[in-house]
Amino acid sequence: MTESSLTPDIATGSPVRLQAVAAEGQPEVTPALEELYRGFERELLVPLWTEIGDLMPAHPRSRAVPHLWRWERLRELAAQAGDAVPVGRGGERRAIALANPSLGGRPFATPTLWAAIQYLMPGEDAPEHRHTQHAFRFVVEGSGVWTVVGGDPVPMNRGDFLPQAGWNWHAHHNATSEPMAWIDGLDIPFQYLTEAQFFEFGRDGIGDTERITPERSRSERLWGHPGLRPLSAAPATPGSPLLSYKWEYTDAALRDQLLLEREGYGGTVGPGHAAVRYSNPHDGSDVLPTIRAEFHRVARGAETAPVRETGSSVHQVFDGSGVVTVGDRSWTVARGDLFVVPSWEPFSVRSEAGASDSDSGALDLFRFSDAPVFEALRLDRTLKDA
């Protein structure tokens, strides 16, 4: 069929190059057509009939591909970076991003989502800054780091989910004698694509009152009571006012869903499949304007039906083991492993977890996606395969 590209042409100075090719549904190749295409090139015009197959496919064809990163290897490399790379102005964070192999080497897990392992050495501070990108931290192992958001020290422990809406000042400090690693999730690629991002440096260091190590942050003391909304709450701002979602509550919710299912009362999204969504206690919406976060527990021996969704997601195995299938790729996964599900690729899970590799005896998966963006634009679509 007719082809076009954005490769610059030395003779015309135009980035548009059109080639007339004899193909079904395309105009007959004639000198007049060739002359027309040269005119298009000079005026920086591209006719739809040369691009419709790429711009308007029958279903989403993601530029990203399914891929798996092993936690063991990520942590080894992060530890090496801890010895070789300082944390301070310039680099700002010792964060190492997942680069999807089909996205040209960009530090993007998917076209809209960033995921990285961040590593902080004993006694280190990551300096204060803020950015319009919405972010979160999820802890698969360890403890001892406090993230300080707007002057509020928030403890980070295994299983905790810590959302942070854009344009909030934040820093981190490690108060222990051990290094700690966690994953960061942000909408960097989305804001990069839409050219909407801002960034600002803050103070080089945090104050003594922010270096404290409370068991609960001020945000948790105000907002962390299930089903109770403080009457003193100010008008809603973008993102959740609760800065930490404790693992103990997530674990209890998933455990109770599976118990209710066994007792014959339902409560799960599928046989042996419990799931929760982290929500904003102010109004029940997603915790961040552009990112949805969920936690899934799949009981040993259970298998989820393949599902396709518009938009992409990143998953981290929190506990247990099993087999995940994304498109035509399948992997056996274990604690900490991360993988990507691109838009409209079928995704399913089979749990092989047990008491030897999982505290819950099930396969536990943390998931984040760009679903709020697609829902806001009415572009969300889900299909469960038979």
Side-chain angles (χ1 to χ4, degrees):
M1 65 180 293
T2 309
E3 299 176 352
S4 65
S5 74
L6 294 181
T7 302
D9 177 63
I10 296 175
T12 65
S14 172
V16 176
R17 294 295 293 150
L18 301 171
Q19 182 180 0
V21 178
E24 184 178 356
Q26 293 297 312
E28 181 184 356
V29 179
T30 64
L33 184 68
E34 295 283 6
E35 182 181 357
L36 176 64
Y37 281 3
R38 302 296 80 76
F40 286 164
E41 291 171 356
R42 285 189 293 270
E43 299 302 323
L44 298 177
L45 301 170
V46 179
L48 177 61
W49 62 82
T50 70
E51 297 288 330
I52 190 167
D54 182 50
L55 297 178
M56 297 182 178
H59 57 79
R61 295 198 303 245
S62 180
R63 291 181 293 116
V65 295
H67 193 74
L68 175 77
W69 291 264
R70 296 292 183 189
W71 179 250
E72 182 179 357
R73 186 60 179 144
L74 291 177
R75 209 182 188 294
E76 288 174 358
L77 291 168
Q80 292 179 33
D83 294 330
V85 180
V87 170
R89 290 302 181 211
E92 287 293 298
R93 299 288 188 265
R94 194 182 290 111
I96 306 156
L98 310 184
N100 192 286
S102 71
L103 296 181
R106 300 295 301 174
F108 301 161
T110 82
T112 56
L113 299 173
W114 160 289
I117 178 174
Q118 187 170 161
Y119 196 83
L120 204 61
M121 296 290 282
E124 276 190 331
D125 292 351
E128 186 182 63
H129 65 213
R130 64 178 178 174
H131 41 71
T132 51
Q133 291 85 355
H134 302 294
F136 71 81
R137 284 158 278 286
F138 179 73
V139 186
V140 74
E141 62 184 24
S143 61
V145 168
W146 270 254
T147 183
V148 182
V149 181
D152 188 6
V154 187
M156 296 171 58
N157 298 296
R158 172 166 159 77
D160 291 351
F161 169 71
L162 302 98
Q164 176 212 294
W167 214 235
N168 282 288
W169 293 111
H170 59 284
H172 314 308
H173 70 94
N174 188 338
T176 72
S177 58
E178 298 292 331
M180 183 173 165
W182 62 91
I183 67 164
D184 290 334
L186 295 93
D187 62 356
I188 291 175
F190 173 71
Q191 293 203 27
Y192 180 84
L193 176 68
T194 54
E195 300 178 343
Q197 66 272 48
F198 290 86
F199 179 94
E200 187 175 339
F201 292 113
R203 299 165 298 164
D204 290 337
I206 58 176
D208 291 341
T209 58
E210 299 164 296
R211 198 174 292 283
I212 60 174
T213 56
E215 291 186 7
R216 290 189 303 152
S217 65
R218 296 193 296 272
S219 80
E220 293 171 80
R221 291 162 62 190
L222 185 62
W223 286 98
H225 304 284
L228 300 174
R229 182 178 181 273
L231 292 182
S232 63
T237 57
S240 175
L242 179 59
L243 299 177
S244 177
Y245 292 69
K246 296 291 192 187
W247 169 242
E248 60 185 287
Y249 302 123
T250 307
D251 182 38
L254 296 165
R255 183 173 59 249
D256 282 345
Q257 285 187 19
L258 290 176
L259 286 173
L260 285 167
E261 180 190 61
R262 290 174 199 148
E263 294 165 7
Y265 297 107
T268 56
V269 295
H273 180 191
V276 294
R277 179 182 300 169
Y278 299 96
S279 64
N280 185 333
H282 205 295
D283 56 12
S285 63
D286 282 295
V287 288
L288 295 169
T290 56
I291 295 175
R292 174 166 296 164
E294 300 171 346
F295 205 103
H296 295 252
R297 174 168 290 172
V298 184
R300 179 178 177 84
E303 185 168 1
T304 65
V307 62
R308 300 172 186 259
E309 296 176 312
T310 50
S312 53
S313 58
V314 180
H315 303 239
Q316 183 171 40
V317 179
F318 180 71
D319 219 355
S321 58
V323 176
V324 299
T325 300
V326 186
D328 59 1
R329 302 291 306 276
S330 291
W331 305 285
T332 297
V333 295
R335 177 184 287 193
D337 292 346
L338 291 121
F339 60 92
V340 163
V341 180
S343 183
W344 213 243
E345 290 282 0
F347 166 59
S348 61
V349 176
R350 184 177 76 250
S351 174
E352 297 176 350
S356 63
D357 64 2
S358 172
D359 293 337
S360 68
L363 175 61
D364 285 350
L365 291 169
F366 170 77
R367 175 186 190 261
F368 71 100
S369 72
D370 50 17
V373 176
F374 283 76
E375 290 180 358
L377 298 175
R378 301 295 190 266
L379 295 173
D380 56 303
R381 184 175 294 193
T382 301
L383 174 66
K384 283 192 176 183
D385 291 355

